[in-house]
Amino acid sequence: MTEMNMVQAINDALRLEMRRDDRVLVLGEDVGKVGGVFRVTQGLYDEFGEDRVIDTPLAEGGIIGAAIGMALYGLRPVPEIQFSDFIFPAFDQIVSEAAKYRYRSGGEYTCPMVIRTPVGGGIRGGHYHSQSPEALFIHTPGLKVVCPSNPYDAKGLLLSAIRDEDPVLFFEPKRVYRAAKGEVPEGDYTVPLSEAKVVREGKHVTVVAWGAMLYEVLASAEEVAASHGIETEVIDLRTLWPIDLDTIVESVKKTGRIVVVHEAPKTCGFGAEILTLIGEKAFLHLEAPPVRVTGWDTPFPYTLETDYLPLQHRITPALIETAKF
Amino acid sequence: MPTQDELVQLYRQMFLIRRFEEEAARAYAQGKIGGFLHLYIGQEAVAVGVSAVMRPEDYFVTTYRDHGVALARGMTSRACMAELYGKESGCSKGMGGSMHMFDREHNLLGGHGIVGGHIALAAGAAWASKYRGDGRVTLCFFGDGATNIGGFHEGVSLAALWRLPVVFVCENNEYSMGTPAERTLPQRDVSKKAEAYDIPGLRFRGQDVTDVMEQLREPIERARRGEGPTMVEVMTYRYRGHSMSDPGKYRTAEEVEERKTRDPVRIGRGHALAAGVSEEALAAVDAAVEAEVEDAVRFADESAQPDEALLHTLTLAPNGDADSPPPAGSYPAEKRSPLSADAAPTEVHHA
């Protein structure tokens, strides 16, 4: 075991898998000689060379399109989109091509690839370096969507994602790229996709979160435990889609209360879907209105970032109100 | 000039595409084929000629006007027609329909319904060929309309930058759906766009299958030699509307009749006769094609609809099994070619 941050753990996963499988390659803007703007791919170019760590022009549609062609051929590309805010020029490629290959070819072709991209706020990046577009991809049948919160999960989930037969969007919460540290095993291990994790047990209220917001939720959980004796059960979703609904339903049956926290805007955010699923599966167990604590329905702000984000100061009151309802 | 046998084969393929699509149009009118049906009639020499000078293992990526390419590559008429009918015996199990012809056996990476969306895919497949050193070429078809879309630029730009083994073939049929090229293309000579990517450009009329073969040989060989892509613009014409729902009234009858004077099927038949093939022999070919198409229609008619369960198992992999890499040494590293000519040799790691 070695202590790593998220950047190091993701780098380790890429390196291991590229050593294990020569079909795996990385492509994107500045991923090669520069090592990526967040240095996630640092050192890979030196070890694997320019034909496996490919510096591309600024052309997100071209990057994802080329990666799809590689996947159809039988390779396992891991394209990087430098910020998930830049993914929209490639939206057509992801939604119209990658997500639908298995379906529209009748299973003749699949599109195994992992699109890595930093997500979320917390770096004062403003509206083009901070957004959380996960719901757009969850809404697209044929894609899997992952968002780890810590180095152990990041490495294990990325290895699972690269070995998966379908296209995976791998969102990396940039706010905790270096802040989240933890023990990470050396060598190969996987964290299965579609398995949520109960990271804190409690009996009064269930909170579902992922990525960087998990830490805010845990801080609020400690706060309300101390101030009000409220025991919060916290679920790190880890894989957003396909969702591990059983783990959430089981928890809600115990607590009767659910709060979902995410950075993306509220309306049609993934929280809306989770709460609807709970309405369908655990309606009679609910003892309080389901609650969302999310980003606002506005562009991601530059100057008001800490007001926009659903940080501890907004989560704590929601937990208290929900528990007391 | 191709041999007598080759000329017969070229004619047979073009006549098959023609008759296949005429019967598909009939089935569409009867409501047996739904949605959209983009006919290739009038352009047959392009797919058949290009395919004839490609190798069986080469890759093809094409547009939604894809039945001709599929048949030219060797997809059976049955699998193609059944796909149009949306039947489970179709090449994509009836899930794709007219615009989604896929055939792994013949490395057909699909017809694509989003204009220009497939051009970067061709670069990716070609990149993989270069990486694996498999000596294959990827052929990418698109229309004149697609050259206005960003995907065209990104795909061609990457292929040119990395000198990938791709041949880009623009089938210029003079219309973007219902709007003529002079009202959509600021530069009507698509082949000139090659200059922007520092690759060769080529433009010719493609109604004679032997011309198409002759013109395509060098671009294909150039790609295979590792010298990069070529932009080939083939001037052609579709006799029918953009799709079955388009009567094509934006064109005059005189224009269509004038284009039909250079009919690729008739020209192909003329070549075979000139080479000494008898009328009787060609009549036998015609009869065999008629029987093949009739059989395909019957097969499609009698095939079953796909089960609804298929829809769900074809969205994501049903079992989620993890995949394993190929055994070490499956692809000898020494066959790889670097992306840039001056690249240092790279260290290679195997499991």
Side-chain angles (χ1 to χ4, degrees), chain A residues 157-174:
Chain A
L157 285 167
L158 183 54
L159 289 172
S160 288
I162 296 172
R163 296 170 195 178
D164 197 81
E165 292 296 338
D166 289 302
V168 179
L169 270 289
F170 196 87
F171 287 108
E172 301 169 359
K174 62 173 98 69

Side-chain angles (χ1 to χ4, degrees), chain B residues 14-26:
Chain B
M14 290 191 290
F15 186 59
L16 172 66
I17 295 167
R18 176 70 54 93
R19 289 292 302 120
F20 178 97
E21 289 205 323
E22 285 170 351
E23 293 307 311
R26 189 195 306 271

